[in-house]
Amino acid sequence: MGLVTGMCSLPASLDGRPKLLLIDGEWVPARSGRVFDSYNPSNGEVIARLAQGDKEDIDLAVAAARQAFQGPWSKFTPAQRQNVLLKLADLVEQNLGDLSLLDSVDMGAPIGHGLSDSAVETLRYYAGWATKIQGETVPNSNPGSFFSYTLKEPVGVVGAIIPWNAPLSSAIEKIAPVLTTGCTMILKPAEEAALSPLAIGELINQLDLPPGVINIVTGFGDTAGAALSEHADVDKVAFTGSSFTGQEIVRAAAGNLKRVSLELGGKSPDVIFADADLDAAVPGAGMAVFANSGQVCCAGTRVFVERPIYEEFVARVSAFADSLKVGNSLDPETQIGPIVSQVQLDRVTGYLEIGKSEGARTTAGGERLATGDLAKGYFVLPTVFADVNDDMRIAQEEIFGPVAAVLPFDSFEEVSMRSNKTQFGLGGGVWTRDVGKAHRMAAAINTGVVWVNTYLNFDPAMPFGGSKMSGWGNEMGQHSLDEYLNIKAVWINTGE
Ligand code: NAP
Ligand code: MG
């Protein structure tokens, strides 16, 4: 442990030395020698300098990943890959305190929320699959002459590009299936929050892994990220981020028609029926928007409330929003930390002004919190906008801040239709005591995940992905492996 901040202390790894790139098993500076600053959003201070990787560094990393893919890594047995995953899980578990602190200080995740062991669980879940990837024998129409079967083979060199809102778990969600399937990778973390992914790189170097299996290149999206997604020797891009950048990735991938999987943005509906248990629905739907300061892809930001309970719900969720403690992410009491950066702060406060000018009624928050010690950080009060209608920008566009749009509805049919009236299809929620209605609504919402009388539950065994502009493919769960595998059909002539 290093510097004491007056709250939790910062990890010792923040020792002032510039962070390097992990290429072919070695920590190296960017070829250009350039670096960039990483900030603590709770106070705007620079906490680290990172290597500014660019096309040249991506080229080196891709070459290393290709060599590793064809070299000793390809000889690892499934059981050996499983062991690698289990060892990495142990190392992440042993270092979870520091890794969580890094996310807390780098992107503002409140430290008091306790350690999330989802990264460890994810690695152990995938470890189990490493020994269970198998093809099939397939009956063909000429069995006397031909024997036919399929093999599942790793897709090859994977470029993984991740956002800043959950750096540790996002990095692990890409690394785990790569190791499971025998692929190799170049990970490009987000410029705003690369410290925990780099710390995972340190742990990876403690494994018995050939160099070049996992490479990490920090840098900017429009240079390093673009070079990776258009690279002719990358076989697949696994991207998590905004729908806008997802479109850029698809265009860049067209050059060699590499495989693409996309986990993108959302504007998810959370539907509260009049028969719901409001004691559960108020905090549940509230945290579905405000958790991680609203910087959650599947946040339930469009809260549809049935007319008879509309005013009561608005009053109660507004009181809930007002009760949340906003503060420095290293303060153990903090429930809502800062927005990740000045750029995102400006974006979120811009939407607060848009909501007011569109005629929404502000019933909680509605402004930046810039008092005392918090003035230098990027804090926004949990905000509730009532009297929102479907056509307002605050009901259609992803704000990625702690902003709930609360909309009244009158019937099941109406809310079924309106809940799908966006370009996105990521998450959704239903709150009701009527089990039949819960199932009907879960079926009606056109998204990748629906939660009933709960929200934001995740498990490595449950698939996660989006429809429409929210993405292509799934992460987590058994079927996510297919995103990293090619099927090969083999015919054997058994005839004379
Ligand atoms: P973003 O701006 O799209 O950035 C995501 C990543 O893409 C970053 O590493 C970024 O690099 C990189 N990038 C930017 N432009 C690029 C380009 N032209 N080519 C290649 N890479 C490029 O998204 P964000 O603001 O970091 O993250 C928030 C978004 O992610 C939200 O829309 C959220 O909903 C979505 N998200 C989705 C999921 C999901 O599972 N569906 C999960 C989490 C977040 P730099 O940061 O260095 O510029
Ligand atoms: Mg930062």
Side-chain angles (χ1 to χ4, degrees), residues 38-41 47 105-107 191-193 340:
S38 191
Y39 299 88
N40 177 351
I47 45 167
V105 78
D106 204 10
M107 60 71 61
E191 67 188 80
E192 293 89 347
V340 73

Side-chain angles (χ1 to χ4, degrees), residues 20-31 51 53-65 185-187 198 201 205 210-218:
L20 302 173
L21 311 175
L22 179 60
I23 298 180
D24 207 14
E26 305 284 340
W27 290 101
V28 295
R31 299 288 287 185
D54 204 337
K55 185 178 178 327
E56 270 188 291
D57 309 287
I58 292 290
D59 285 345
L60 291 170
V62 172
M185 87 190 293
I186 303 92
L187 175 68
L198 288 169
N205 267 8
V213 173
I214 309 281
N215 306 273
I216 305 178
V217 177
T218 49

Side-chain angles (χ1 to χ4, degrees), residues 310-346:
Y310 185 77
E311 285 305 333
E312 181 190 355
F313 182 87
V314 167
R316 287 181 65 175
V317 82
S318 302
F320 176 77
D322 289 339
S323 76
L324 294 169
K325 187 172 182 309
V326 181
N328 191 308
S329 59
L330 292 180
D331 181 341
E333 304 273 289
T334 290
Q335 292 169 292
I336 306 292
I339 299 292
V340 73
S341 66
Q342 181 71 50
V343 170
Q344 288 295 322
L345 175 72
D346 293 344

Side-chain angles (χ1 to χ4, degrees), residues 107-122:
M107 60 71 61
I111 197 69
H113 274 199
L115 298 184
S116 161
D117 55 2
S118 72
V120 179
E121 286 176 7
T122 299

Side-chain angles (χ1 to χ4, degrees), residues 459-479:
D459 190 283
M462 279 294 272
F464 187 82
S467 60
K468 302 196 290 191
M469 292 280 282
S470 293
W472 291 349
N474 274 296
E475 266 187 345
M476 317 295 258
Q478 175 179 359
H479 302 294

Side-chain angles (χ1 to χ4, degrees), residues 161-165 188-192 219-222 225-226 229 239-243 245 248-249 263-266 297 344 398 400 426 464 470:
I161 302 175
I162 57 172
W164 43 261
N165 61 326
K188 207 298 277 174
E191 67 188 80
E192 293 89 347
F220 300 136
D222 54 2
S229 48
F239 174 74
T240 302
S242 62
S243 300
T245 308
E248 300 274 309
I249 302 279
E263 297 285 346
L264 307 177
C297 50
Q344 288 295 322
E398 185 180 46
F400 229 54
L426 195 53
F464 187 82
S470 293

